[in-house]
Amino acid sequence: MSLIVTFTGLFIAVVGYITTWFVIARLSNRTDVVDTAWGLGFVYLALVAWLMQGHPTGIPLISLLFVAAWGFRLALHIGSRNFRNAEDDYRYQEFRQKWQPNYWSMAYLRIFLLQALLVLVIGSSAVASILDGHPALKVVAVLGYVVWGVGIVVEAIADWQLRRFVATKKSGQIMQTGLWRYSRHPNYFGEITSWWGAAIVALSLQQWWGIVGALVITLLITKVSGIPPLEKHYADNPAFQKYKRRTSVLIPLPPK
């Protein structure tokens, strides 16, 4: 089966997956369910790729398990957070006002289908090693899994620390302890690290296209939809500006 045919099948599968979540969003009138669908989408993509290859063991199975560990943890974190909120995330409330009177059709095209495409592109870093079907571990692959695992752990710890802080914070306070003392966005650092770990595994198998997903998620987080809007959101917060001057934006470093 050629790579083009394989990815066509994977794209159809992911579109069907995200359309199911769109129906859930429409029935519940909550667009933010798409955030929960994000992590689970990668698990679904990896599982479909693994089944298409005849559920091989070795590196494909290990990569699937790493994607599952990352995706299920993230979905549980985001889903439980959104479940406690009575309303949609503020981002989607802004879109509702901007895209009226055709909000749901615009949301399907510009939020849900876009997410399906991003899941396919970013997830390709993990899919590359799953489709390769190589059973035996190599030294470089082991290194990739170590980096991947470190990324998962860092992101999980950062999310946990932030959740504890948000539960008790006062208005205007900024998270500045734990991993957040060394990076303004340690959760994003963990996510980027995870996908570069997946890319290293792909590269160990000479699947050079596996680097594409890691590059895309890095650009998205650092230049588009991750760090820039958050930094802009706190632009008028004096405490954040002081925190910003002494703290690395992404890579954990000693405070200045």
Side-chain angles (χ1 to χ4, degrees):
M1 188 181 298
S2 71
L3 202 58
I4 294 177
V5 173
T6 299
F7 266 87
T8 299
L10 290 174
F11 180 68
I12 292 171
V14 173
V15 169
Y17 164 84
I18 205 65
T19 300
T20 301
W21 278 95
F22 175 75
V23 173
I24 294 172
R26 192 69 181 87
L27 292 174
S28 63
N29 200 31
R30 290 288 296 262
T31 316
D32 59 4
V33 299
V34 74
D35 297 335
T36 303
W38 174 252
L40 295 179
F42 290 96
V43 181
Y44 178 76
L45 175 71
L47 179 61
V48 172
W50 184 69
L51 291 174
M52 289 174 70
Q53 285 300 101
H55 42 81
T57 57
I59 284 182
L61 179 58
I62 296 172
S63 292
L64 171 62
L65 294 175
F66 268 76
V67 174
W70 178 82
F72 281 124
R73 200 281 315 170
L74 183 62
L76 180 62
H77 169 70
I78 294 177
S80 61
R81 180 192 67 193
N82 289 351
F83 181 77
R84 293 195 302 269
N85 296 331
E87 297 180 336
D88 249 345
D89 185 272
Y90 72 91
R91 296 167 298 160
Y92 304 122
Q93 292 186 42
E94 292 176 356
F95 288 145
R96 280 176 186 267
Q97 296 176 357
K98 186 187 301 183
W99 294 343
Q100 289 297 340
N102 303 308
Y103 172 70
W104 284 108
S105 58
M106 293 289 286
Y108 181 67
L109 292 172
R110 300 181 64 174
I111 298 176
F112 286 81
L113 286 185
L114 176 60
Q115 183 174 112
L117 179 61
L118 289 175
V119 165
L120 185 68
V121 173
I122 296 167
S124 66
S125 288
V127 168
S129 59
I130 294 173
L131 294 180
D132 182 84
H134 199 284
L137 281 171
K138 298 180 178 181
V139 174
V140 178
V142 172
L143 173 62
Y145 286 125
V146 170
V147 173
W148 200 341
V150 168
I152 292 173
V153 171
V154 168
E155 186 175 7
I157 292 174
D159 282 342
W160 174 73
Q161 290 175 339
L162 182 60
R163 170 170 285 193
R164 290 187 64 193
F165 170 76
V166 169
T168 59
K169 79 165 189 171
K170 298 178 181 178
S171 179
Q173 282 187 317
I174 298 296
M175 177 64 174
Q176 303 180 49
T177 58
L179 293 176
W180 300 80
R181 181 171 183 264
Y182 306 99
S183 167
R184 302 202 298 274
H185 305 279
N187 51 344
Y188 285 146
F189 172 77
E191 183 165 352
I192 290 173
T193 301
S194 295
W195 289 110
W196 278 104
I200 292 171
V201 177
L203 292 175
S204 75
L205 303 171
Q206 285 77 55
Q207 298 293 341
W208 307 105
W209 54 273
I211 199 173
V212 173
L215 285 172
V216 169
I217 191 64
T218 302
L219 289 173
L220 280 176
I221 286 177
T222 59
K223 302 298 182 182
V224 184
S225 61
I227 293 174
L230 280 175
E231 297 273 312
K232 183 179 179 181
H233 183 70
Y234 289 102
D236 296 328
N237 187 310
F240 183 82
Q241 295 308 312
K242 291 181 181 179
Y243 172 61
K244 182 178 180 178
R245 285 193 290 270
R246 66 172 179 270
T247 310
S248 168
V249 62
L250 182 67
I251 300 172
L253 295 171
K256 295 179 183 178

